Amino acid sequence: MSTGPARVVINLDLPGPTISRHLYGHFAEHLGRCIYGGLWVGEDSPLPNTGGIRSDVVEALKALHIPNLRWPGGCFADDYHWRDGIGPRETRPRMVNSHWGDVIEDNSFGTHEFMALCELLGAQPYVSGNVGSGTVREMSEWIEYLTRGDDSPMAGLRRRNGRDEPWTVPFWGLGNEGWGCGGNLRGDAFADLARQYATYVRDHGDNTVYRIAAGANADDYAWTESLMKALGPVEKTSTPVFQAVSFHYYTMSGDWQDKGEATSFTEDEYYRTIAQAHRVEELLTRHSTVMDRRDPHRRIGLVLDEWGTWWNVEEGTNPGFLYQQNTLRDALVASLHFDAFHRHADRLVMANIAQTVNVLQAMILTDPDTGALVLTPTYHVFEMNTGHHDAAALTAHVLDDQTRDSDGLTVPLLSASASTTGDTALVSLSNLDAGQARSVVLDLRGREMREHRARILTAPTLQSHNSPETPEAVRPRPHEALTPHPRGLLVDLPAHSYVTVSLTLGA
Ligand code: AHR
């Protein structure tokens, strides 16, 4: 097997579409310990908090420059009635969280708490409205409550609850998984509902809402077609009733019955996972193709508002809480997704990993007993990629013959993407080979490279992960294995590693 240097060709002087920072969005649902115990501990907690919001979690997340936060679900969103989550906490009604553990939700984290969290994080709110079990009036009043400035009935109610100024709410979800937990509807029926609900999610004052219709499950292209058909032909000058359609895609090494283990997996399971993660590229291409037919000017955005790994829950934890550990394999799944996102920046306007804390592919895990906080390998990929936020995509042509067949799919073992802002560029490189180190020539064209600096995320094994005992088993370090090359730079990538190369550019 040849392991000669691969080549990644980048034309530094040909910037492409902007990689919206919103591709690095997040998702926090009322599920398990994401909100309660993760983000919200309450004002009486011994853990340092700001009005009940956990300070160390906020501090850690701020380093990721989270652009937007989706809330309150997920499946929970279509059971959620926002009026239950306002006013004095002690009088808020309780409800059953029937999707997630059948536990009692006391609504202590509601609209005001969510908006305070967004303000602390510097993130823009993405509110997911209830289509499945709510009413049009309920949704209409929620956006009025949040964003209206005058003395309207809902603005008055908000003031009586302690908030004078309206908030800015740029993103609004019309339902969630309408084909499943959001109502078990058929595509055309849901599309009509999305039109109806969108009509009443009004722009109040200066607030302009970007309405996102709940979309397909993975490769259900017919669902996307239903939503696009409902919009009618989208011309350059038309004002579509909703502005984006979403879809969801989760990565696992098994199937929905047995998704695979988070930390104990074989090399075969690793490659199966990587093969499944690669599928996101095909999904992005094919949903975009469906959209192109009715929206050739790309006015409607594609939003992947749930993605990430989904493993069997950690033994000994509530199966309804979806708590899982996070290894170097999860980090490589994330880096692969981001490379695909960057390549689709002309249509993909937002993506939200599921979920921020303690649920699925989380950034942060907190110990329920001691409160100890751990940053996951996935957190570090988000942090290493902040330089791609709002940068111009550069095409990274990967010339390499190393592949692996898994699950009927041929998986390239090297992944790359790049972007540029002003006089800088950032290159992301993933060596997905479980056992072989690789060398890569960065063939840099069109501009002079003046300086370079690299960081690496790797660990002894793919199963390596962080825990309260070993919080830094997987963390980024400076990477020195770069040498000048006539074409640019020669970069050595250890097996299963993620490397970012920051470049300072001349003319
Ligand atoms: O993220 C967990 C769940 O996965 C969400 O609630 C739902 O939308 C999806 O099925």
Side-chain angles (χ1 to χ4, degrees):
M1 187 167 72
S2 144
T3 50
R7 202 143 61 93
V8 175
V9 182
I10 302 172
N11 290 301
L12 296 163
D13 58 343
L14 296 178
T18 301
I19 297 170
S20 169
R21 66 186 186 283
H22 292 293
L23 302 188
Y24 287 85
H26 283 258
F27 171 33
E29 182 167 12
H30 288 236
L31 194 178
R33 296 190 298 108
C34 182
I35 299 287
Y36 297 109
L39 292 158
W40 172 259
V41 286
E43 284 161 336
D44 300 333
S45 169
L47 294 172
N49 66 83
T50 308
I53 297 167
R54 211 178 139 154
S55 306
D56 55 355
V57 170
V58 167
E59 271 322 297
L61 291 176
K62 274 168 86 168
L64 304 186
H65 303 292
I66 291 184
N68 71 79
L69 184 61
R70 179 175 183 247
W71 171 87
C75 292
F76 181 79
D78 280 303
D79 267 334
Y80 185 64
H81 300 283
W82 68 272
R83 277 175 181 259
D84 295 349
I86 56 172
R89 285 193 203 107
E90 52 290 358
T91 60
R92 293 185 192 174
R94 289 146 60 93
M95 66 178 282
V96 177
N97 190 336
S98 40
H99 288 291
W100 307 121
D102 209 31
V103 294
I104 301 300
E105 159 73 53
D106 70 3
N107 278 308
S108 49
F109 189 91
T111 296
H112 291 248
E113 291 77 13
F114 171 65
M115 297 306 293
L117 171 62
C118 288
E119 280 172 356
L120 288 173
L121 291 173
Q124 293 189 316
Y126 170 12
V127 174
S128 229
N130 180 346
V131 169
S133 72
T135 64
V136 175
R137 176 176 179 173
E138 192 180 350
M139 196 182 287
S140 173
E141 289 182 341
W142 199 4
I143 189 82
E144 180 188 326
Y145 184 91
L146 282 158
T147 61
R148 200 163 170 99
D150 61 10
D151 60 351
S152 80
M154 289 302 116
L157 180 58
R158 183 191 67 235
R159 287 205 186 88
R160 290 196 291 285
N161 287 328
R163 170 79 186 195
D164 188 26
E165 288 300 306
W167 287 288
T168 300
V169 179
F171 303 113
W172 197 274
L174 306 163
N176 172 74
E177 298 193 350
W179 40 267
C181 63
N184 282 312
L185 292 154
R186 289 169 301 121
D188 289 344
F190 181 83
D192 281 341
L193 277 184
R195 286 183 62 96
Q196 184 187 1
Y197 275 74
T199 307
Y200 297 93
V201 177
R202 297 201 163 98
D203 291 341
H204 294 282
D206 297 338
N207 192 67
T208 305
V209 191
Y210 191 75
R211 299 162 192 81
I212 301 163
N217 182 21
D219 59 0
D220 183 358
Y221 304 113
W223 187 278
T224 300
E225 171 62 12
S226 289
L227 290 175
M228 293 305 293
K229 194 171 63 188
L231 282 177
V234 185
E235 307 299 345
K236 260 191 182 150
T237 52
S238 47
T239 44
V241 66
F242 48 82
Q243 290 75 42
V245 303
S246 73
F247 77 104
H248 291 173
Y249 178 60
Y250 284 100
T251 297
M252 47 193 79
S253 62
D255 54 27
W256 284 102
Q257 278 64 51
D258 180 7
K259 303 175 188 75
E261 298 302 319
T263 55
S264 66
F265 51 89
T266 62
E267 195 171 290
D268 267 359
E269 286 171 311
Y270 163 70
Y271 282 117
R272 228 179 294 150
T273 307
I274 293 301
Q276 291 308 317
H278 259 290
R279 273 196 74 212
V280 77
E281 182 97 47
E282 178 188 333
L283 300 176
L284 290 167
T285 303
R286 293 188 63 184
H287 283 294
S288 299
T289 304
V290 171
M291 296 172 76
D292 283 347
R293 283 203 292 270
R294 292 177 192 275
D295 174 28
H297 309 291
R298 305 204 159 178
R299 301 273 320 280
I300 303 297
L302 181 61
V303 170
L304 174 55
D305 52 12
E306 289 185 28
W307 68 271
T309 54
W310 193 325
W311 310 121
N312 297 332
V313 295
E314 185 110 332
E315 221 173 288
T317 64
N318 185 328
F321 281 14
L322 309 188
Y323 177 85
Q324 63 189 40
Q325 248 296 355
N326 192 299
T327 65
L328 185 61
R329 174 178 62 166
D330 295 79
L332 293 173
V333 167
S335 71
L336 268 186
H337 275 72
F338 289 133
D339 288 344
F341 294 173
H342 300 165
R343 283 189 285 274
H344 289 267
D346 54 349
R347 178 65 93 170
L348 188 70
V349 296
M350 185 192 284
N352 303 73
I353 192 165
Q355 298 191 9
T356 313
V357 190
N358 290 332
V359 170
L360 298 177
Q361 191 175 350
M363 307 305 105
I364 291 177
L365 302 175
T366 64
D367 188 293
D369 302 321
T370 64
L373 172 155
V374 163
L375 306 179
T376 66
T378 300
Y379 172 98
H380 294 304
V381 175
F382 271 77
E383 187 275 317
M384 290 167 78
N385 271 16
T386 50
H388 289 302
H389 293 201
D390 289 336
L394 293 169
T395 305
H397 299 274
V398 179
L399 306 175
D400 186 37
D401 56 4
Q402 301 297 302
T403 58
R404 168 92 180 211
D405 290 335
S406 180
D407 252 0
L409 299 166
T410 298
V411 187
L413 291 177
L414 183 65
S415 179
S417 67
S419 69
T420 183
T421 312
D423 287 340
T424 64
L426 182 64
V427 182
S428 294
L429 298 166
S430 302
N431 178 10
L432 304 167
D433 199 308
Q436 292 284 327
R438 298 298 309 281
S439 293
V440 177
V441 174
L442 285 189
D443 188 337
L444 303 169
R445 303 177 181 186
R447 289 182 75 177
E448 180 203 355
M449 180 196 62
R450 291 206 169 137
E451 285 169 29
H452 59 81
R453 195 167 43 85
R455 295 168 79 199
I456 184 164
L457 187 72
T458 191
T461 70
L462 279 160
Q463 291 77 7
S464 299
H465 55 273
N466 297 331
S467 68
E469 295 71 43
T470 54
E472 302 210 328
V474 190
R475 69 168 168 90
R477 296 161 206 272
H479 188 48
E480 310 294 351
L482 275 73
T483 41
H485 183 278
R487 289 180 183 273
L489 280 173
L490 183 69
V491 187
D492 290 335
L493 304 176
H496 52 253
S497 64
Y498 179 61
V499 166
T500 50
V501 185
S502 305
L503 305 172
T504 306
L505 306 174

